[in-house]
Amino acid sequence: MANSRFSFEDLLEQAQSPVLGYLVRLTGSVHVAQDTLQAANVTALEKQESFQPGTNFAAWLCQIARNHFRNHSRKHTATKAEALVDDRLHDVIERRYRERLAQRRKQSNWERLDRCLQSLPDHQRDLVEGFYLRGHSLTDLAESTGRKPNAIGQALHRARNALVDCVKFQAESTATQNHPHKTPAATATLNEVPK
């Protein structure tokens, strides 16, 4: 229905925690957030045919929940000006939260990469550091190691593949530890691996 791997209900269930967290930040109240999430769940079930498979389900549900909260706020806000300020404030809070989250993910990726780099055999680590960190050319590395540039290129390719596999494995392990009910593919993205 909504996804070949997950039913709509599975996607809805997996989105509950992140959407509730978003709503708590948005509303400042766990009680209001829970009520808003319940209303959003009902709307999502009613409008499940409008969900585009392959898109971010949690983001879709967050938008529904945000609309519910805005409608509720507008009904209970004394003036339109207060509602507009509320909307802008919530936008700023959410943007700052997403920036901090992205920063933490980036930092985590760099930490994983550093651990993986340290786990490489010395000769591979020396090549990676020489080429990527110190900016040596393949020819320079070949001369300093007594190997051919082509062999250095192949060794760097193998080292980079080992690093990517290591970082992916660590990300999947972390995701599985933090969310044992989710599949690693649903929580880790290879595109976040720094190059």
Side-chain angles (χ1 to χ4, degrees):
M1 171 183 280
N3 186 320
S4 60
R5 288 183 52 193
F6 300 105
S7 71
F8 188 86
E9 290 77 16
D10 289 336
L11 293 171
L12 189 63
E13 182 180 332
Q14 289 180 359
Q16 296 302 291
S17 181
V19 175
L20 181 61
Y22 165 77
L23 287 170
V24 168
R25 290 186 310 277
L26 181 68
T27 65
S29 163
V30 173
H31 178 72
V32 172
Q34 290 171 332
D35 289 347
T36 305
L37 180 58
Q38 289 306 313
N41 287 338
V42 170
T43 300
L45 286 167
E46 291 170 353
K47 296 185 175 190
Q48 64 182 294
E49 295 305 320
S50 69
F51 173 68
Q52 298 293 318
T55 60
N56 185 328
F57 185 86
W60 180 73
L61 186 58
C62 278
Q63 187 60 47
I64 292 171
R66 182 178 183 166
N67 290 340
H68 273 283
F69 178 69
R70 283 182 170 174
N71 290 338
H72 174 78
S73 294
R74 285 184 183 114
K75 288 177 186 174
H76 294 91
T77 300
T79 67
K80 295 269 185 195
E82 288 178 24
L84 183 60
V85 170
D86 264 359
D87 286 349
R88 288 183 182 156
L89 180 60
H90 290 306
D91 289 344
V92 168
I93 291 169
E94 186 59 25
R95 185 174 57 250
R96 287 189 179 159
Y97 169 77
R98 291 195 184 283
E99 288 168 359
R100 284 194 313 268
L101 186 61
Q103 204 171 27
R104 275 185 285 191
R105 283 185 181 144
K106 188 175 182 180
Q107 181 63 34
S108 293
N109 285 337
W110 281 111
E111 289 169 0
R112 286 184 194 110
L113 180 60
D114 187 51
R115 284 191 302 271
C116 290
L117 184 60
Q118 297 308 315
S119 73
L120 286 177
D122 290 342
H123 68 280
Q124 281 187 331
R125 185 174 51 253
D126 291 343
L127 288 177
V128 169
E129 289 175 349
F131 187 77
Y132 290 105
L133 302 179
R134 292 186 210 99
H136 295 295
S137 68
L138 292 179
T139 304
D140 292 341
L141 292 171
E143 288 174 6
S144 69
T145 60
R147 297 168 67 186
K148 294 184 180 193
N150 189 36
I152 297 297
Q154 290 175 357
L156 279 169
H157 179 74
R158 286 190 296 274
R160 185 178 186 286
N161 285 344
L163 286 172
V164 169
D165 290 345
C166 178
V167 170
K168 271 180 30 180
F169 176 78
Q170 285 189 17
E172 290 172 354
S173 295
T174 301
T176 303
Q177 289 170 359
N178 292 340
H179 305 285
H181 62 284
K182 293 184 181 180
T183 61
T187 54
T189 60
L190 175 58
N191 293 332
E192 292 181 11
V193 175
K195 293 183 180 176

